[in-house]
């Protein structure tokens, strides 16, 4: 009788492993995969703030210039789009930089945190790569621990870069360091939220969508609370329900309070701990919220590529519609207090808003631009979903039927294109209802509907550009976020940053006109619509020529 001895090194090693075995190796692998995203996020956020600081240095030449900035920033409108305005009664460059522009860097940090966690956890499970990794000597929590560690490294680096930049400009070292750390704390807070959402759904898009909704809610709560604080009445405590608000309450260069960051770190720790606990209660590859089983037979109306595209986007459209309706109602209901806050604003600020007789129209036009940029995010995410369909292998079975490539990509682009004006109308209607209730003027509903809907061609152009990037070179698709980011900077800060008209017109959102402050430019509407159509046609042609990819 022959005895065979089998050597099982993997089992032997596994018996001595822990739940975090392999974390360091996975972290190195994640750094290798994010060799472009890592510097893009960290350097991008710090360079954005550097640009703001450089522009402010160029345009603020006297105390009178600072006084003009403080008039807007210390008003309810400034609180909505910036923050509570600590120290704006004795404004300095560093206080304005942290108190007004810090919000947008904080939002970017929050996106960095949540997207990094989703990318390296739930997305890895969905593609099947995590299963291959777990077949080795890797602990149950190693993947999540490595993703959180990577996010923490990115947050610390962002904090250091921002702090070093501000110290290098001669700002107070303590306030500079506090401001940088407060930005990093936002990234950690939303990384913790993503740690929970990736356990709930088995789909990366749903996990990032839930975390993104939390980021949007944090922005709204902070805005409403800060507006109430500035005007001296209302629920100012809402700011303390927002992770963004916790960082802003540190008041760098004014009060230099470190203790609100204890709330941020406690929240990040608690949500991360909850994520670990939830991950132990679900099967690998599954979510705690199971997907609803479908019908045994498809409905007759689904027998087309357009119907399939609508079915895949239906849940997203419902969620976006509800969120924009609530946001519109909330912002519209604060219109009258905002107008009251402009009573003592300086003349140059009033001129920017359209003059003393057009303050309401100026604000409504600005909110139309805000909602257009938000709907632009929906359009980009819809195109990113196409890449996920292709990378996860669900596109090939569809194309194996009678559906052609032009039909598939064209149907998805068409459904998204129809969703754009719908979402703009929903947000405009919600804001119109809120504005009418706040001011008692029912005609504002019609003005807001038209003002929001007028931005449709600009969002269509963003959608068409994103579709072309996906169709021609899928890896370049993230570059479309630059278009939205530039549109935000040009739309909000052009009067303050003194952006030249030539550069300003590079944004598709600067051509339509901010109705009702400005008339709708019919020529621009037609030109942007035509350009969007041409880009979609080019995208269809490009998609027919390139090979499909089976992994992201």
């Amino acid at each position: 009788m022959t005895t065979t001895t089998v050597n099982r090194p993997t089992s032997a090693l596994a018996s001595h492993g822990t739940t975090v075995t392999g974390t360091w190796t996975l972290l190195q692998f994640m750094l290798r995969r994010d060799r472009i995203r890592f510097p893009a996020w960290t350097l991008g956020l710090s360079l954005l703030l550097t640009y703001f600081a450089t522009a402010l240095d160029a345009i603020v030449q006297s105390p009178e210039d600072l006084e003009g900035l403080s008039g807007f920033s210390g008003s309810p409108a400034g609180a909505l789009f910036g923050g509570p305005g600590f120290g704006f009664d004795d404004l300095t460059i560093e206080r304005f930089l942290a108190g007004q522009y810090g919000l947008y860097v904080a939002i970017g940090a929050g996106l960095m945190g949540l997207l990094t966690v989703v990318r390296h956890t739930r997305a890895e499970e969905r593609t099947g790569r995590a299963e291959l990794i777990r077949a080795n000597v890797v602990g149950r929590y190693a993947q999540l621990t490595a993703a959180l560690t990577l996010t923490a490294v990115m947050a610390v680096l962002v904090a250091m870069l921002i702090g070093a930049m501000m110290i290098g400009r001669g700002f107070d070292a303590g306030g500079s360091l506090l401001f940088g750390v407060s930005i990093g704390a936002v990234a950690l807070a939303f990384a913790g939220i993503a740690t929970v959402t990736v356990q709930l759904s088995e789909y990366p898009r749903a996990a990032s969508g839930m975390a993104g909704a939390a980021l949007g809610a944090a922005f709204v709560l902070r805005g409403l609370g800060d507006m109430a604080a500035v005007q001296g009445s209302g629920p100012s405590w809402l700011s303390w329900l927002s992770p963004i608000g916790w960082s802003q309450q540190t008041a760098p260069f004014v009060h230099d309070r470190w203790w609100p960051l204890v709330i941020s770190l406690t929240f990040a720790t608690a949500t991360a701990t909850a994520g670990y606990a939830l991950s132990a209660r679900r099967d690998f590859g599954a979510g705690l919220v199971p997907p609803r089983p479908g019908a045994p037979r498809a409905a007759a109306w689904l027998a087309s590529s357009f119907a399939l595209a609508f079915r895949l986007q239906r849940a997203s459209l419902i969620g976006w519609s509800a969120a924009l309706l609530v946001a519109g109602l909330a912002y519209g209901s604060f219109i009258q207090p905002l107008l009251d806050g402009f009573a003592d604003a300086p003349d140059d600020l009033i001129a920017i808003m359209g003059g003393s007789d057009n303050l309401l129209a100026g604000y409504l036009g600005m909110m139309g631009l805000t909602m257009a940029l938000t709907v632009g995010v929906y359009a980009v995410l819809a195109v990113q979903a196409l890449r996920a369909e292709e990378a996860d292998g669900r596109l090939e079975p569809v194309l194996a039927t009678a559906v052609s490539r032009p039909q598939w990509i064209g149907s998805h682009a068409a459904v998204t294109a129809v969703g754009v004006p719908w979402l703009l109308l929903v947000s405009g209607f919600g804001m119109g209802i809120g504005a009418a209730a706040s001011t008692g003027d029912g005609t504002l509903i019609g003005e807001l509907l038209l003002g929001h809907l007028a931005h449709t061609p600009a969002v269509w152009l963003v959608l068409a550009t994103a579709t072309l990037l996906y169709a021609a070179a899928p890896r370049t698709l993230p570059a479309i976020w630059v278009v939205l980011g530039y549109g935000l900077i040009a739309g909000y800060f052009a009067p303050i940053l003194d952006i030249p008209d030539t550069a300003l017109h590079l944004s598709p959102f600067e051509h339509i006109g901010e109705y009702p402050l400005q008339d709708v430019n019919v020529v621009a509407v037609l030109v942007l619509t035509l350009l969007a159509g041409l880009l979609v046609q080019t995208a269809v042609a490009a998609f027919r020529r390139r090979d499909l990819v089976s992994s992201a």
Side-chain angles (χ1 to χ4, degrees), residues 41 45 48-49 52 82 98 100-113 158 162 179 182-188 190 215 219 222 243-245 247-248:
W41 276 115
L45 291 175
L48 176 62
L49 194 65
F52 286 146
Q100 192 70 26
Y101 292 151
L103 169 65
Y104 301 95
V105 182
I107 292 174
L111 286 171
M112 177 187 73
V158 167
I162 290 177
F179 179 60
S182 69
I183 297 297
V186 176
L188 295 179
F190 284 97
L215 179 60
F219 177 84
R222 175 221 56 83
I244 300 174
S247 290
Q248 289 188 321

Side-chain angles (χ1 to χ4, degrees), residues 55-304:
L56 285 173
D57 285 340
I59 65 174
V60 176
Q61 304 292 334
S62 66
E64 289 74 18
D65 294 332
L66 279 175
E67 183 180 351
L69 295 177
S70 64
F72 172 74
S73 301
S75 68
L80 174 64
F81 293 108
F86 291 113
F88 279 18
D89 52 346
D90 185 19
L91 191 61
T92 61
I93 291 292
E94 58 267 34
R95 288 178 178 180
F96 185 80
L97 192 63
Q100 192 70 26
Y101 292 151
L103 169 65
Y104 301 95
V105 182
I107 292 174
L111 286 171
M112 177 187 73
L114 70 91
L115 291 176
T116 300
V117 171
V118 173
R119 168 177 166 80
H120 291 294
T121 54
R122 175 54 67 181
E124 291 295 281
E125 289 189 40
R126 188 64 184 170
T127 58
R129 288 189 290 263
E131 187 174 8
L132 296 176
I133 292 174
R134 289 280 288 272
N136 292 280
V137 187
V138 176
R140 172 189 287 272
Y141 301 137
Q143 188 104 23
L144 181 56
T145 303
L148 288 174
T149 303
L150 174 62
T151 306
V153 171
M154 296 171 73
V156 170
L157 185 57
V158 167
M160 293 174 59
L161 289 173
I162 290 177
M165 183 276 292
M166 300 190 78
I167 293 174
R169 288 184 168 271
F171 300 151
D172 175 70
S176 299
L177 180 60
L178 174 59
F179 179 60
V181 174
S182 69
I183 297 297
V186 176
L188 295 179
F190 284 97
I193 291 174
T195 304
V196 175
T197 62
V198 295
Q199 315 304 333
L200 301 180
S201 174
E202 64 182 76
Y203 300 104
R205 183 170 43 169
S208 58
M210 287 185 285
L215 179 60
F219 177 84
V220 173
L221 289 172
R222 175 221 56 83
L224 297 178
D226 290 346
M227 288 167 62
V230 168
Q231 68 188 19
S233 63
S236 59
W237 50 269
L238 288 174
S239 298
W240 291 96
L241 300 180
S242 167
I244 300 174
W246 301 332
S247 290
Q248 289 188 321
Q249 291 296 326
T250 59
F253 308 109
V254 184
H255 302 306
D256 287 341
R257 300 184 297 206
W258 286 85
W259 64 264
L261 296 182
V262 175
I263 305 176
S264 300
L265 296 180
T266 302
F267 178 81
T269 302
T271 50
T273 301
Y276 278 107
L278 292 175
S279 68
R281 299 177 62 86
R282 67 174 179 86
D283 293 333
F284 181 82
L288 290 173
V289 180
R292 187 180 63 178
R297 297 183 63 86
W301 65 272
L302 285 174
S304 70

Side-chain angles (χ1 to χ4, degrees), residues 521-535:
N521 189 331
V522 179
V523 175
V525 168
L526 295 176
V527 171
L528 291 178
T529 302
L530 179 61
L531 285 176
L534 291 175
L535 288 180

Side-chain angles (χ1 to χ4, degrees), residues 80 123 325 355 461:
L80 174 64
L325 179 62
L461 187 59

